[in-house]
Amino acid sequence: MSDMTSQAEAPRSPGRPRSTRADEAIIEATLDLLAEGAKIETLSIEAIASRAGVGKATIYRRWSGKDALLRDALVILKGTPPTPIGRSVREDLVLLLGAVGRNTDPRSEKIMSCLLPEVNRNQDRYELYQGIVEPRRARLREVLERGIRTGELRADLDVELALALLTGPMLIQRVLRWHPELDDDALPERVVDGVLEGIRAR
């Protein structure tokens, strides 16, 4: 489970191979505690180690600290975004937007609803959130930039603004359930088609 450890992790010295089972137990313990109501500020390595059934040293051999562990746990919670197929900008945007604000892990709604208010109050939480969403933004950005190169989209397109126009409606509807009359399943296509009206090449 190599994607569980942060790039910021300190290099390990040679020795006994690391236990994948311990990695999984630590990640699951972190997510379970957050879903049960533990606040990020007060969540401790001691509590995580106790729930996971490992020693604190086991965690520190894998992650440089709590923030690095939280980042990896939340990335795993969100899952891997879909891979664009590459046939058309519209098809890839619909595919990627379909994953925005949607997660099959029942813990996700509880955890993310607690994290989001902290984003505006705490710089560390803001950076943590950005570390989670930037890889997803990057996939959308690649599709838009490819569309400019292929001539599907306007050459003068403001890519970052287009990202906000695409993801904003999805997040407000799926996270806040803003409008009960909107069809959630049809929303990705409707958003993409609406935005494409303004950004496609003429």
Side-chain angles (χ1 to χ4, degrees):
M1 200 158 140
S2 59
D3 60 341
M4 278 193 171
T5 51
S6 170
Q7 293 179 352
E9 176 188 9
R12 294 180 70 249
S13 58
R16 186 172 59 186
R18 195 171 73 197
S19 167
T20 300
R21 185 176 301 173
D23 288 358
E24 294 172 349
I26 293 165
I27 291 290
E28 288 301 304
T30 302
L31 295 176
D32 284 343
L33 288 167
L34 289 172
E36 290 166 10
K39 294 183 178 180
I40 291 178
E41 289 77 10
T42 58
L43 181 64
S44 66
I45 292 295
E46 289 84 353
I48 295 170
S50 177
R51 174 64 68 92
V54 301
K56 288 195 299 180
T58 300
I59 295 178
Y60 284 119
R61 280 197 296 268
R62 290 157 169 77
W63 290 277
S64 58
K66 186 175 77 172
D67 283 348
L69 171 54
L70 284 171
R71 180 182 166 222
D72 285 354
L74 292 171
V75 166
I76 290 166
L77 175 71
K78 294 294 289 180
T80 303
T83 301
I85 299 168
R87 288 192 291 255
S88 74
V89 166
R90 181 186 184 278
E91 183 178 19
D92 287 342
L93 290 178
V94 170
L95 176 69
L96 292 171
L97 284 197
V100 173
R102 174 169 284 171
N103 196 291
T104 57
D105 191 318
R107 297 172 298 188
S108 181
E109 185 175 349
K110 295 178 181 178
I111 293 173
M112 297 309 292
S113 64
C114 293
L115 172 62
L116 291 177
E118 294 297 320
V119 169
N120 291 325
R121 293 197 293 259
N122 185 298
Q123 182 64 25
D124 289 340
R125 299 293 86 80
Y126 176 78
E127 292 174 2
L128 174 65
Y129 175 73
Q130 290 300 321
I132 297 168
V133 300
E134 176 52 31
R136 295 169 179 271
R137 246 192 331 251
R139 290 206 175 181
L140 281 166
R141 187 181 292 114
E142 289 167 6
V143 171
L144 295 174
E145 290 174 344
R146 189 190 76 220
I148 295 172
R149 292 194 302 271
T150 61
E152 293 175 78
L153 302 179
R154 291 165 38 183
D156 63 347
L157 174 64
D158 184 330
V159 171
E160 301 308 311
L161 177 59
L163 289 174
L165 292 172
L166 287 162
T167 57
M170 298 301 305
L171 287 170
I172 196 172
Q173 181 62 22
R174 287 186 171 169
V175 175
L176 299 180
R177 299 173 185 172
W178 183 75
H179 198 313
E181 301 299 323
L182 288 177
D183 182 346
D184 190 73
D185 292 332
L187 192 59
E189 287 192 70
R190 294 180 65 186
V191 170
V192 168
D193 288 340
V195 174
L196 281 178
E197 282 300 308
I199 68 174
R200 65 162 47 102
R202 304 296 182 184

